[in-house]
Amino acid sequence: MTKSLPETLILDRVATPVGEALLVVDEAGVLRAFDFADYEPRMRTLMGRHYRGMALNPGRAPDALREAVGRYFGGDLDALAGIAWATNGTAFQRKVWDALCTIPAGETLSYKGLAERIGSPSAMRAVGLANGSNPVAVVVPCHRVIGANGSLTGYGGGLPRKRWLLAHEGAAFKDSLAA
């Protein structure tokens, strides 16, 4: 993961069981954003902040990335682990995003647990804000962070999608959406 600016940003669209995924890659095929089409305006705003003045050019992400996304949604829960990604967030945000990648598929962690994992046990709110501004959703698995009581908490892609992702991974959580 680097903080260098890309020369080009390419926007691809891939069908998934939970909606059309948006993949933004740079000229080297490094993933810069992963979001869902129903949140495209938010993703474009975020990309504009991180990569000021850069256009998102329609195109195709590398086949290996597209295939990894397909394998993950098809049940290979480790398929996303080898994807190269880069962000342009703050040092603290990148620390949180790196820590998210240490939560295995099928497991969850509370905000407090994530704050402790990065060595900042009292920074739960800051961890929550960094988690919520993760530009590389699913690949950097912010959906694996849940409330201290095991309940689903906010997710940029919507709680029904978070519920689906966690159930897909076999993670335990309190499902208030099933009621």
Side-chain angles (χ1 to χ4, degrees), residues 35-79:
D35 211 329
F36 291 93
D38 45 337
Y39 293 95
E40 185 169 350
R42 179 196 62 202
M43 185 213 57
R44 286 182 176 274
T45 298
L46 206 74
M47 295 303 292
R49 286 185 192 141
H50 289 285
Y51 306 105
R52 192 168 311 281
M54 294 189 69
L56 294 177
N57 302 302
R60 187 173 172 92
D63 287 341
L65 173 57
R66 294 172 59 90
E67 291 165 8
V69 170
R71 285 194 322 272
Y72 169 80
F73 282 102
D76 179 357
L77 302 180
D78 296 322

Side-chain angles (χ1 to χ4, degrees), residues 2-179:
T2 65
K3 194 176 176 179
S4 62
L5 292 176
E7 294 176 23
T8 305
L9 294 173
I10 300 160
L11 172 62
D12 193 3
R13 298 168 186 274
V14 176
T16 78
V18 289
E20 184 179 58
L22 305 173
L23 308 177
V24 177
V25 297
D26 64 21
E27 66 280 354
V30 174
L31 185 66
R32 296 290 179 146
F34 183 118
D35 211 329
F36 291 93
D38 45 337
Y39 293 95
E40 185 169 350
R42 179 196 62 202
M43 185 213 57
R44 286 182 176 274
T45 298
L46 206 74
M47 295 303 292
R49 286 185 192 141
H50 289 285
Y51 306 105
R52 192 168 311 281
M54 294 189 69
L56 294 177
N57 302 302
R60 187 173 172 92
D63 287 341
L65 173 57
R66 294 172 59 90
E67 291 165 8
V69 170
R71 285 194 322 272
Y72 169 80
F73 282 102
D76 179 357
L77 302 180
D78 296 322
L80 303 177
I83 291 177
W85 57 275
T87 63
N88 206 22
T90 67
F92 182 81
Q93 288 173 324
R94 292 193 313 272
K95 187 175 185 179
V96 170
W97 299 334
D98 283 340
L100 289 170
C101 293
T102 68
I103 308 169
E107 295 183 22
T108 58
L109 193 63
S110 69
Y111 291 96
K112 180 179 181 180
L114 187 56
E116 290 169 350
R117 189 168 286 189
I118 65 166
S120 301
S122 63
M124 290 179 291
R125 284 189 185 199
V127 162
L129 290 171
N131 189 58
S133 60
N134 168 23
V136 200
V138 184
V139 174
V140 174
C142 52
H143 62 278
R144 295 180 187 153
V145 180
I146 62 174
N149 67 356
S151 65
L152 294 180
T153 55
Y155 181 62
L159 288 180
R161 189 170 281 132
K162 180 174 186 164
R163 178 192 181 280
W164 189 95
L165 291 166
L166 290 174
H168 174 66
E169 295 178 356
F173 58 94
K174 289 184 181 176
D175 189 0
S176 60
L177 298 178

